[in-house]
Amino acid sequence: MKDKRDFLKVTDLSLVEARELLALAARLKSEPKGLRTQLLPGRSVAIVLEKASTRTRVSFEVGCAQLGMHPVVLGIQGSQLGRGEPIRDTARVLSRYCDAIVYRTSAATKLAEMATASVPVVNALSDDGHPVQVLCDVFTAEEHLRGGIAGKRVAFVGDCGCNMARSWVEAATLFDFHLVLAGPRSYLPPPAELTAAGSHVSLVHDPATAVAGCDVVNTDVWTSMGQEAEVSERTEAFAGWTVNERMLRPAKPGAIVLHCLPAHRGEEIDDATLEGPRSRVWDQAENRLHVQKALLVWLLGAAARIA
Ligand code: CP
Ligand code: NVA
């Protein structure tokens, strides 16, 4: 594909492009499900998952169907990736069959190898970020924030070194809001990422003041996929960082709560908050579908065909 674009991190998009994409997502969300089933006929998307997934897999598969595309889901088990075929070779072969690759993996080096494909590659979660999720989360936040996310105060509570937090750091720079990273001192993004974000990001290490004045409060699991061996030290390190009504008291009165899911109720968030009036997590999960459809349409150069 000539001049292919990837979406490996939030800042792969310019602000103008991100705005175009979110507007497209709003348009697709407002339409009947079956309206665009003729938009990209004959196109296929490989969805390669090296880790478990519910939302990402289903929303991309259903999204492809709603755009007239064919999704092909490939896991480690059952594909030659599990027997050591190089990712680079897989990328070349998939490029001959498919029009885009959606890839969930661990190390950034593996993602970079898949991105040698000649078709667009989308990062569907890696150790360094979960950019599709955060793009969807900005969309969800803006459905509820008067005047958009720019200039607002967003908190990420808990494991601020995790992939979600790291993509939120990028989003703060791109969309020009302030991100408070609130959690224990030893769980932070790499220093270079904090330096790059400059005054868009501040650090708080006290749960009592973590979300003060915030419009959006976001959290994620304390132990991400691949970190299972660290579960006990992490459970100990994050004690006291559960998002609950007490922590939320100093937030703005209308503050909303986001969680990318799956959630561990009673750990990073309590059940009452997840199910309570501030929670937007179910809209957030739904919006994966709409925003990722927009992303695929945009990457495959069909945005102009949606009048
Ligand atoms: N939030 C998210 O990516 O969920 P899955 O792991 O279920 O895809
Ligand atoms: N940080 C979590 C996100 C899951 C969608 C993980 O990587 O497991």
Side-chain angles (χ1 to χ4, degrees):
M1 183 187 266
K2 208 167 143 273
D3 299 331
K4 70 126 176 178
R5 290 286 299 270
D6 296 321
F7 183 62
L8 307 181
K9 55 187 203 297
V10 174
T11 48
D12 280 349
L13 297 173
S14 68
L15 181 60
V16 169
E17 290 169 340
R19 285 281 161 224
E20 192 182 314
L21 217 144
L22 295 184
L24 187 58
R27 171 72 187 265
L28 292 171
K29 184 173 181 175
S30 72
E31 294 176 348
K33 283 182 188 172
L35 193 69
R36 302 287 175 188
T37 52
Q38 298 305 313
L39 190 71
L40 290 159
R43 306 289 196 101
S44 299
V45 178
I47 302 169
V48 183
L49 301 170
E50 291 186 6
K51 291 179 175 175
S53 171
T54 297
R55 281 143 288 268
T56 304
R57 176 180 176 162
V58 177
S59 55
F60 268 113
E61 274 201 74
V62 170
C64 285
Q66 291 182 2
L67 295 170
M69 291 195 280
H70 181 72
V72 183
V73 179
L74 215 61
I76 289 289
Q77 297 310 320
S79 79
Q80 299 290 5
L81 279 166
R83 297 180 59 251
E85 181 167 17
I87 296 167
R88 195 171 287 267
D89 291 357
T90 306
R92 283 170 78 171
V93 171
L94 292 179
S95 300
R96 299 289 179 107
Y97 303 133
C98 299
D99 301 279
I101 300 171
V102 171
Y103 186 35
R104 170 166 286 196
T105 188
S106 46
T109 48
K110 295 171 87 178
L111 184 64
E113 243 190 282
M114 190 64 95
T116 60
S118 59
V119 296
V121 174
V122 173
N123 177 2
L125 183 146
S126 65
D127 291 345
D128 295 1
H130 196 358
V132 277
Q133 177 73 59
V134 171
L135 196 60
C136 299
D137 297 351
V138 168
F139 180 86
T140 304
E142 292 200 327
E143 289 184 314
H144 301 280
L145 290 173
R146 212 180 277 260
I149 203 165
K152 298 290 194 303
R153 197 170 173 85
V154 177
F156 189 95
V157 178
D159 181 6
C160 298
C162 82
N163 43 20
M164 281 295 299
R166 292 171 67 180
S167 288
W168 271 105
V169 169
E170 290 194 339
T173 311
L174 182 66
F175 291 99
D176 193 22
F177 58 85
H178 188 80
L179 181 72
V180 179
L181 291 178
R185 290 175 198 279
S186 40
Y187 293 90
L188 289 172
E193 293 175 20
L194 290 177
T195 304
S199 61
H200 283 102
V201 174
S202 58
L203 309 180
V204 176
H205 303 297
D206 175 6
T209 55
V211 304
C214 285
D215 303 274
V216 179
V217 177
N218 190 58
T219 190
D220 188 14
V221 291
W222 292 341
T223 303
S224 286
M225 291 183 280
Q227 298 172 333
E228 289 77 7
E230 301 170 25
V231 70
S232 22
E233 69 186 83
R234 285 174 165 272
T235 308
E236 201 176 316
F238 293 112
W241 285 99
T242 303
V243 175
N244 55 26
E245 198 39 54
R246 191 180 38 174
M247 183 186 278
L248 289 165
R249 250 174 244 148
K252 289 249 180 80
I256 60 164
V257 171
L258 300 178
H259 189 312
C260 66
L261 303 175
H264 291 186
R265 286 170 165 84
E267 293 187 17
E268 75 278 2
I269 190 165
D270 71 350
D271 185 65
T273 304
L274 198 70
E275 300 294 349
R278 293 183 188 278
S279 171
R280 295 294 180 275
V281 301
W282 315 112
D283 290 344
Q284 189 183 356
E286 176 189 330
N287 286 334
R288 297 291 303 275
L289 175 67
H290 310 299
V291 177
Q292 290 164 190
K293 278 169 68 182
L295 179 64
L296 289 174
V297 167
W298 189 82
L299 287 172
L300 294 178
R305 282 162 46 204
I306 297 190

mmCIF file of all heavy atoms in Angstrom, residues 50-93:
data_model
loop_
_atom_site.group_PDB
_atom_site.id
_atom_site.type_symbol
_atom_site.label_atom_id
_atom_site.label_comp_id
_atom_site.label_asym_id
_atom_site.label_seq_id
_atom_site.Cartn_x
_atom_site.Cartn_y
_atom_site.Cartn_z
ATOM 1 N N GLU A 50 -1.889 -11.898 20.742
ATOM 2 C CA GLU A 50 -0.950 -12.711 21.536
ATOM 3 C C GLU A 50 -1.354 -12.761 23.002
ATOM 4 O O GLU A 50 -0.667 -13.375 23.802
ATOM 5 C CB GLU A 50 0.471 -12.139 21.419
ATOM 6 C CG GLU A 50 1.064 -12.314 20.045
ATOM 7 C CD GLU A 50 2.516 -11.863 19.991
ATOM 8 O OE1 GLU A 50 3.103 -11.527 21.035
ATOM 9 O OE2 GLU A 50 3.046 -11.833 18.880
ATOM 10 N N LYS A 51 -2.407 -12.033 23.354
ATOM 11 C CA LYS A 51 -2.897 -12.022 24.741
ATOM 12 C C LYS A 51 -4.417 -12.125 24.690
ATOM 13 O O LYS A 51 -5.031 -11.858 23.653
ATOM 14 C CB LYS A 51 -2.516 -10.712 25.432
ATOM 15 C CG LYS A 51 -1.038 -10.540 25.691
ATOM 16 C CD LYS A 51 -0.782 -9.198 26.349
ATOM 17 C CE LYS A 51 0.682 -9.048 26.730
ATOM 18 N NZ LYS A 51 0.958 -7.704 27.255
ATOM 19 N N ALA A 52 -4.993 -12.425 25.851
ATOM 20 C CA ALA A 52 -6.453 -12.549 25.944
ATOM 21 C C ALA A 52 -7.133 -11.240 25.551
ATOM 22 O O ALA A 52 -6.548 -10.160 25.686
ATOM 23 C CB ALA A 52 -6.837 -12.912 27.373
ATOM 24 N N SER A 53 -8.357 -11.341 25.070
ATOM 25 C CA SER A 53 -9.133 -10.141 24.745
ATOM 26 C C SER A 53 -10.611 -10.486 24.630
ATOM 27 O O SER A 53 -10.963 -11.514 24.055
ATOM 28 C CB SER A 53 -8.666 -9.539 23.416
ATOM 29 O OG SER A 53 -9.548 -8.508 23.019
ATOM 30 N N THR A 54 -11.442 -9.612 25.137
ATOM 31 C CA THR A 54 -12.894 -9.700 24.890
ATOM 32 C C THR A 54 -13.318 -8.498 24.045
ATOM 33 O O THR A 54 -13.763 -8.636 22.907
ATOM 34 C CB THR A 54 -13.676 -9.734 26.218
ATOM 35 O OG1 THR A 54 -13.306 -10.911 26.920
ATOM 36 C CG2 THR A 54 -15.185 -9.741 25.980
ATOM 37 N N ARG A 55 -13.171 -7.282 24.609
ATOM 38 C CA ARG A 55 -13.642 -6.071 23.940
ATOM 39 C C ARG A 55 -12.932 -5.820 22.616
ATOM 40 O O ARG A 55 -13.574 -5.541 21.597
ATOM 41 C CB ARG A 55 -13.432 -4.824 24.828
ATOM 42 C CG ARG A 55 -14.476 -4.664 25.899
ATOM 43 C CD ARG A 55 -13.843 -4.131 27.162
ATOM 44 N NE ARG A 55 -13.052 -5.182 27.743
ATOM 45 C CZ ARG A 55 -13.536 -6.044 28.658
ATOM 46 N NH1 ARG A 55 -14.733 -5.909 29.102
ATOM 47 N NH2 ARG A 55 -12.796 -7.029 29.116
ATOM 48 N N THR A 56 -11.606 -5.894 22.620
ATOM 49 C CA THR A 56 -10.850 -5.544 21.423
ATOM 50 C C THR A 56 -11.207 -6.495 20.282
ATOM 51 O O THR A 56 -11.503 -6.071 19.167
ATOM 52 C CB THR A 56 -9.342 -5.587 21.736
ATOM 53 O OG1 THR A 56 -9.104 -4.720 22.850
ATOM 54 C CG2 THR A 56 -8.506 -5.168 20.549
ATOM 55 N N ARG A 57 -11.230 -7.775 20.605
ATOM 56 C CA ARG A 57 -11.537 -8.765 19.571
ATOM 57 C C ARG A 57 -12.952 -8.579 19.022
ATOM 58 O O ARG A 57 -13.158 -8.482 17.817
ATOM 59 C CB ARG A 57 -11.389 -10.178 20.140
ATOM 60 C CG ARG A 57 -11.809 -11.198 19.110
ATOM 61 C CD ARG A 57 -11.707 -12.611 19.576
ATOM 62 N NE ARG A 57 -12.243 -13.440 18.500
ATOM 63 C CZ ARG A 57 -12.022 -14.722 18.384
ATOM 64 N NH1 ARG A 57 -11.268 -15.353 19.247
ATOM 65 N NH2 ARG A 57 -12.564 -15.395 17.382
ATOM 66 N N VAL A 58 -13.917 -8.503 19.927
ATOM 67 C CA VAL A 58 -15.309 -8.458 19.461
ATOM 68 C C VAL A 58 -15.603 -7.135 18.757
ATOM 69 O O VAL A 58 -16.252 -7.108 17.706
ATOM 70 C CB VAL A 58 -16.285 -8.721 20.626
ATOM 71 C CG1 VAL A 58 -17.730 -8.609 20.149
ATOM 72 C CG2 VAL A 58 -16.042 -10.104 21.228
ATOM 73 N N SER A 59 -15.108 -6.024 19.313
ATOM 74 C CA SER A 59 -15.417 -4.733 18.683
ATOM 75 C C SER A 59 -14.757 -4.608 17.310
ATOM 76 O O SER A 59 -15.364 -4.071 16.373
ATOM 77 C CB SER A 59 -15.031 -3.567 19.593
ATOM 78 O OG SER A 59 -13.669 -3.648 19.980
ATOM 79 N N PHE A 60 -13.542 -5.115 17.147
ATOM 80 C CA PHE A 60 -12.929 -5.069 15.807
ATOM 81 C C PHE A 60 -13.638 -6.032 14.846
ATOM 82 O O PHE A 60 -13.883 -5.685 13.688
ATOM 83 C CB PHE A 60 -11.433 -5.378 15.865
ATOM 84 C CG PHE A 60 -10.573 -4.151 16.019
ATOM 85 C CD1 PHE A 60 -9.851 -3.925 17.186
ATOM 86 C CD2 PHE A 60 -10.463 -3.215 14.993
ATOM 87 C CE1 PHE A 60 -9.055 -2.791 17.337
ATOM 88 C CE2 PHE A 60 -9.665 -2.074 15.135
ATOM 89 C CZ PHE A 60 -8.960 -1.867 16.309
ATOM 90 N N GLU A 61 -13.966 -7.234 15.328
ATOM 91 C CA GLU A 61 -14.642 -8.191 14.432
ATOM 92 C C GLU A 61 -16.001 -7.667 13.980
ATOM 93 O O GLU A 61 -16.329 -7.696 12.792
ATOM 94 C CB GLU A 61 -14.852 -9.537 15.150
ATOM 95 C CG GLU A 61 -13.672 -10.466 15.045
ATOM 96 C CD GLU A 61 -14.070 -11.930 15.288
ATOM 97 O OE1 GLU A 61 -14.697 -12.549 14.407
ATOM 98 O OE2 GLU A 61 -13.745 -12.426 16.367
ATOM 99 N N VAL A 62 -16.784 -7.189 14.947
ATOM 100 C CA VAL A 62 -18.122 -6.677 14.617
ATOM 101 C C VAL A 62 -17.997 -5.414 13.763
ATOM 102 O O VAL A 62 -18.741 -5.227 12.798
ATOM 103 C CB VAL A 62 -18.920 -6.426 15.918
ATOM 104 C CG1 VAL A 62 -20.213 -5.675 15.640
ATOM 105 C CG2 VAL A 62 -19.214 -7.754 16.619
ATOM 106 N N GLY A 63 -17.030 -4.571 14.113
ATOM 107 C CA GLY A 63 -16.815 -3.349 13.337
ATOM 108 C C GLY A 63 -16.506 -3.663 11.880
ATOM 109 O O GLY A 63 -17.032 -3.027 10.965
ATOM 110 N N CYS A 64 -15.657 -4.654 11.645
ATOM 111 C CA CYS A 64 -15.333 -5.057 10.267
ATOM 112 C C CYS A 64 -16.606 -5.493 9.548
ATOM 113 O O CYS A 64 -16.861 -5.098 8.401
ATOM 114 C CB CYS A 64 -14.331 -6.214 10.271
ATOM 115 S SG CYS A 64 -12.657 -5.711 10.674
ATOM 116 N N ALA A 65 -17.408 -6.317 10.216
ATOM 117 C CA ALA A 65 -18.649 -6.808 9.595
ATOM 118 C C ALA A 65 -19.560 -5.633 9.235
ATOM 119 O O ALA A 65 -20.143 -5.596 8.144
ATOM 120 C CB ALA A 65 -19.358 -7.765 10.543
ATOM 121 N N GLN A 66 -19.642 -4.651 10.111
ATOM 122 C CA GLN A 66 -20.534 -3.512 9.853
ATOM 123 C C GLN A 66 -20.018 -2.606 8.730
ATOM 124 O O GLN A 66 -20.761 -1.776 8.217
ATOM 125 C CB GLN A 66 -20.746 -2.709 11.135
ATOM 126 C CG GLN A 66 -21.566 -3.485 12.171
ATOM 127 C CD GLN A 66 -21.827 -2.699 13.447
ATOM 128 O OE1 GLN A 66 -21.434 -1.544 13.575
ATOM 129 N NE2 GLN A 66 -22.491 -3.338 14.390
ATOM 130 N N LEU A 67 -18.745 -2.764 8.372
ATOM 131 C CA LEU A 67 -18.176 -1.962 7.273
ATOM 132 C C LEU A 67 -18.041 -2.779 5.987
ATOM 133 O O LEU A 67 -17.444 -2.327 5.017
ATOM 134 C CB LEU A 67 -16.803 -1.418 7.689
ATOM 135 C CG LEU A 67 -16.813 -0.415 8.841
ATOM 136 C CD1 LEU A 67 -15.397 -0.133 9.334
ATOM 137 C CD2 LEU A 67 -17.500 0.884 8.438
ATOM 138 N N GLY A 68 -18.549 -4.006 6.032
ATOM 139 C CA GLY A 68 -18.478 -4.861 4.839
ATOM 140 C C GLY A 68 -17.151 -5.558 4.676
ATOM 141 O O GLY A 68 -16.840 -6.111 3.613
ATOM 142 N N MET A 69 -16.333 -5.551 5.732
ATOM 143 C CA MET A 69 -15.010 -6.182 5.653
ATOM 144 C C MET A 69 -15.030 -7.556 6.306
ATOM 145 O O MET A 69 -15.913 -7.882 7.100
ATOM 146 C CB MET A 69 -13.973 -5.312 6.366
ATOM 147 C CG MET A 69 -13.696 -4.019 5.651
ATOM 148 S SD MET A 69 -12.191 -3.243 6.279
ATOM 149 C CE MET A 69 -12.801 -2.482 7.743
ATOM 150 N N HIS A 70 -13.977 -8.301 6.015
ATOM 151 C CA HIS A 70 -13.866 -9.641 6.605
ATOM 152 C C HIS A 70 -12.729 -9.653 7.627
ATOM 153 O O HIS A 70 -11.577 -9.405 7.272
ATOM 154 C CB HIS A 70 -13.585 -10.670 5.503
ATOM 155 C CG HIS A 70 -13.495 -12.059 6.039
ATOM 156 N ND1 HIS A 70 -14.597 -12.747 6.483
ATOM 157 C CD2 HIS A 70 -12.432 -12.874 6.233
ATOM 158 C CE1 HIS A 70 -14.210 -13.931 6.922
ATOM 159 N NE2 HIS A 70 -12.898 -14.039 6.782
ATOM 160 N N PRO A 71 -13.031 -9.964 8.892
ATOM 161 C CA PRO A 71 -11.969 -10.067 9.890
ATOM 162 C C PRO A 71 -11.437 -11.495 9.980
ATOM 163 O O PRO A 71 -12.206 -12.449 9.905
ATOM 164 C CB PRO A 71 -12.690 -9.700 11.195
ATOM 165 C CG PRO A 71 -14.114 -10.125 10.972
ATOM 166 C CD PRO A 71 -14.375 -10.108 9.492
ATOM 167 N N VAL A 72 -10.129 -11.633 10.138
ATOM 168 C CA VAL A 72 -9.519 -12.955 10.349
ATOM 169 C C VAL A 72 -8.778 -12.891 11.678
ATOM 170 O O VAL A 72 -7.845 -12.106 11.825
ATOM 171 C CB VAL A 72 -8.499 -13.291 9.241
ATOM 172 C CG1 VAL A 72 -7.935 -14.688 9.443
ATOM 173 C CG2 VAL A 72 -9.132 -13.155 7.868
ATOM 174 N N VAL A 73 -9.219 -13.688 12.645
ATOM 175 C CA VAL A 73 -8.590 -13.646 13.971
ATOM 176 C C VAL A 73 -7.558 -14.758 14.083
ATOM 177 O O VAL A 73 -7.829 -15.915 13.766
ATOM 178 C CB VAL A 73 -9.639 -13.781 15.093
ATOM 179 C CG1 VAL A 73 -8.965 -13.768 16.469
ATOM 180 C CG2 VAL A 73 -10.658 -12.653 15.010
ATOM 181 N N LEU A 74 -6.369 -14.365 14.521
ATOM 182 C CA LEU A 74 -5.251 -15.305 14.619
ATOM 183 C C LEU A 74 -4.667 -15.219 16.028
ATOM 184 O O LEU A 74 -4.388 -14.127 16.515
ATOM 185 C CB LEU A 74 -4.189 -14.829 13.635
ATOM 186 C CG LEU A 74 -3.338 -15.837 12.899
ATOM 187 C CD1 LEU A 74 -4.215 -16.739 12.049
ATOM 188 C CD2 LEU A 74 -2.359 -15.090 12.002
ATOM 189 N N GLY A 75 -4.505 -16.368 16.678
ATOM 190 C CA GLY A 75 -3.854 -16.393 17.984
ATOM 191 C C GLY A 75 -2.466 -16.992 17.845
ATOM 192 O O GLY A 75 -2.042 -17.376 16.753
ATOM 193 N N ILE A 76 -1.780 -17.058 18.977
ATOM 194 C CA ILE A 76 -0.456 -17.679 18.975
ATOM 195 C C ILE A 76 -0.611 -19.188 18.767
ATOM 196 O O ILE A 76 0.010 -19.775 17.885
ATOM 197 C CB ILE A 76 0.240 -17.398 20.318
ATOM 198 C CG1 ILE A 76 0.626 -15.937 20.380
ATOM 199 C CG2 ILE A 76 1.453 -18.279 20.529
ATOM 200 C CD1 ILE A 76 1.753 -15.597 19.455
ATOM 201 N N GLN A 77 -1.492 -19.757 19.604
ATOM 202 C CA GLN A 77 -1.753 -21.183 19.442
ATOM 203 C C GLN A 77 -2.529 -21.363 18.147
ATOM 204 O O GLN A 77 -3.478 -20.631 17.883
ATOM 205 C CB GLN A 77 -2.597 -21.715 20.621
ATOM 206 C CG GLN A 77 -1.910 -21.624 21.969
ATOM 207 C CD GLN A 77 -0.496 -22.214 21.944
ATOM 208 O OE1 GLN A 77 -0.259 -23.239 21.324
ATOM 209 N NE2 GLN A 77 0.429 -21.527 22.583
ATOM 210 N N GLY A 78 -2.117 -22.299 17.370
ATOM 211 C CA GLY A 78 -2.859 -22.566 16.141
ATOM 212 C C GLY A 78 -2.323 -21.796 14.956
ATOM 213 O O GLY A 78 -2.752 -22.030 13.825
ATOM 214 N N SER A 79 -1.426 -20.849 15.177
ATOM 215 C CA SER A 79 -0.788 -20.195 14.026
ATOM 216 C C SER A 79 0.709 -20.500 14.093
ATOM 217 O O SER A 79 1.213 -20.953 15.122
ATOM 218 C CB SER A 79 -1.010 -18.677 14.058
ATOM 219 O OG SER A 79 -0.130 -18.073 14.971
ATOM 220 N N GLN A 80 1.416 -20.208 13.031
ATOM 221 C CA GLN A 80 2.854 -20.502 13.007
ATOM 222 C C GLN A 80 3.654 -19.543 13.896
ATOM 223 O O GLN A 80 4.823 -19.811 14.183
ATOM 224 C CB GLN A 80 3.380 -20.482 11.562
ATOM 225 C CG GLN A 80 2.734 -21.511 10.652
ATOM 226 C CD GLN A 80 3.131 -22.955 10.981
ATOM 227 O OE1 GLN A 80 3.823 -23.234 11.960
ATOM 228 N NE2 GLN A 80 2.677 -23.899 10.162
ATOM 229 N N LEU A 81 3.022 -18.480 14.357
ATOM 230 C CA LEU A 81 3.697 -17.593 15.321
ATOM 231 C C LEU A 81 4.068 -18.385 16.571
ATOM 232 O O LEU A 81 5.134 -18.183 17.155
ATOM 233 C CB LEU A 81 2.774 -16.430 15.715
ATOM 234 C CG LEU A 81 2.719 -15.253 14.734
ATOM 235 C CD1 LEU A 81 1.533 -14.349 15.066
ATOM 236 C CD2 LEU A 81 4.018 -14.458 14.750
ATOM 237 N N GLY A 82 3.178 -19.273 16.972
ATOM 238 C CA GLY A 82 3.417 -20.087 18.159
ATOM 239 C C GLY A 82 4.550 -21.081 17.974
ATOM 240 O O GLY A 82 5.061 -21.645 18.949
ATOM 241 N N ARG A 83 4.948 -21.322 16.731
ATOM 242 C CA ARG A 83 6.050 -22.259 16.459
ATOM 243 C C ARG A 83 7.305 -21.509 16.043
ATOM 244 O O ARG A 83 8.234 -22.083 15.506
ATOM 245 C CB ARG A 83 5.631 -23.271 15.392
ATOM 246 C CG ARG A 83 4.466 -24.161 15.846
ATOM 247 C CD ARG A 83 4.039 -25.174 14.797
ATOM 248 N NE ARG A 83 5.113 -26.076 14.420
ATOM 249 C CZ ARG A 83 5.751 -26.068 13.247
ATOM 250 N NH1 ARG A 83 5.411 -25.171 12.323
ATOM 251 N NH2 ARG A 83 6.708 -26.907 12.992
ATOM 252 N N GLY A 84 7.291 -20.173 16.273
ATOM 253 C CA GLY A 84 8.521 -19.406 16.073
ATOM 254 C C GLY A 84 8.680 -18.750 14.719
ATOM 255 O O GLY A 84 9.757 -18.223 14.409
ATOM 256 N N GLU A 85 7.658 -18.753 13.876
ATOM 257 C CA GLU A 85 7.809 -18.027 12.608
ATOM 258 C C GLU A 85 8.046 -16.552 12.928
ATOM 259 O O GLU A 85 7.307 -15.958 13.730
ATOM 260 C CB GLU A 85 6.563 -18.171 11.724
ATOM 261 C CG GLU A 85 6.741 -17.444 10.393
ATOM 262 C CD GLU A 85 5.696 -17.778 9.329
ATOM 263 O OE1 GLU A 85 4.637 -18.328 9.669
ATOM 264 O OE2 GLU A 85 5.976 -17.482 8.150
ATOM 265 N N PRO A 86 9.050 -15.935 12.317
ATOM 266 C CA PRO A 86 9.348 -14.534 12.650
ATOM 267 C C PRO A 86 8.143 -13.619 12.393
ATOM 268 O O PRO A 86 7.414 -13.806 11.415
ATOM 269 C CB PRO A 86 10.502 -14.172 11.715
ATOM 270 C CG PRO A 86 11.122 -15.483 11.361
ATOM 271 C CD PRO A 86 10.003 -16.487 11.350
ATOM 272 N N ILE A 87 7.988 -12.641 13.266
ATOM 273 C CA ILE A 87 6.875 -11.690 13.117
ATOM 274 C C ILE A 87 6.995 -10.959 11.777
ATOM 275 O O ILE A 87 6.014 -10.709 11.092
ATOM 276 C CB ILE A 87 6.874 -10.696 14.296
ATOM 277 C CG1 ILE A 87 6.616 -11.454 15.595
ATOM 278 C CG2 ILE A 87 5.836 -9.598 14.116
ATOM 279 C CD1 ILE A 87 6.892 -10.672 16.858
ATOM 280 N N ARG A 88 8.236 -10.651 11.423
ATOM 281 C CA ARG A 88 8.494 -9.949 10.170
ATOM 282 C C ARG A 88 7.975 -10.740 8.954
ATOM 283 O O ARG A 88 7.390 -10.164 8.031
ATOM 284 C CB ARG A 88 10.013 -9.749 10.057
ATOM 285 C CG ARG A 88 10.501 -8.776 9.048
ATOM 286 C CD ARG A 88 11.993 -8.578 9.249
ATOM 287 N NE ARG A 88 12.272 -7.788 10.430
ATOM 288 C CZ ARG A 88 12.432 -6.470 10.407
ATOM 289 N NH1 ARG A 88 12.384 -5.809 9.269
ATOM 290 N NH2 ARG A 88 12.666 -5.800 11.503
ATOM 291 N N ASP A 89 8.182 -12.057 8.976
ATOM 292 C CA ASP A 89 7.684 -12.887 7.874
ATOM 293 C C ASP A 89 6.160 -12.936 7.899
ATOM 294 O O ASP A 89 5.507 -12.883 6.848
ATOM 295 C CB ASP A 89 8.243 -14.323 7.987
ATOM 296 C CG ASP A 89 9.739 -14.378 7.716
ATOM 297 O OD1 ASP A 89 10.324 -13.316 7.390
ATOM 298 O OD2 ASP A 89 10.317 -15.475 7.835
ATOM 299 N N THR A 90 5.614 -13.035 9.102
ATOM 300 C CA THR A 90 4.149 -13.043 9.247
ATOM 301 C C THR A 90 3.576 -11.740 8.688
ATOM 302 O O THR A 90 2.571 -11.746 7.967
ATOM 303 C CB THR A 90 3.770 -13.198 10.743
ATOM 304 O OG1 THR A 90 4.430 -14.357 11.254
ATOM 305 C CG2 THR A 90 2.274 -13.332 10.931
ATOM 306 N N ALA A 91 4.231 -10.626 9.012
ATOM 307 C CA ALA A 91 3.767 -9.312 8.541
ATOM 308 C C ALA A 91 3.747 -9.255 7.008
ATOM 309 O O ALA A 91 2.798 -8.743 6.406
ATOM 310 C CB ALA A 91 4.678 -8.224 9.109
ATOM 311 N N ARG A 92 4.802 -9.811 6.406
ATOM 312 C CA ARG A 92 4.871 -9.777 4.929
ATOM 313 C C ARG A 92 3.765 -10.603 4.312
ATOM 314 O O ARG A 92 3.139 -10.205 3.322
ATOM 315 C CB ARG A 92 6.223 -10.304 4.454
ATOM 316 C CG ARG A 92 7.318 -9.286 4.624
ATOM 317 C CD ARG A 92 8.660 -9.889 4.375
ATOM 318 N NE ARG A 92 8.940 -10.048 2.953
ATOM 319 C CZ ARG A 92 10.140 -10.405 2.500
ATOM 320 N NH1 ARG A 92 11.127 -10.621 3.362
ATOM 321 N NH2 ARG A 92 10.352 -10.528 1.215
ATOM 322 N N VAL A 93 3.533 -11.776 4.899
ATOM 323 C CA VAL A 93 2.511 -12.673 4.338
ATOM 324 C C VAL A 93 1.115 -12.077 4.542
ATOM 325 O O VAL A 93 0.309 -12.025 3.599
ATOM 326 C CB VAL A 93 2.633 -14.076 4.983
ATOM 327 C CG1 VAL A 93 1.461 -14.953 4.584
ATOM 328 C CG2 VAL A 93 3.957 -14.722 4.578
#
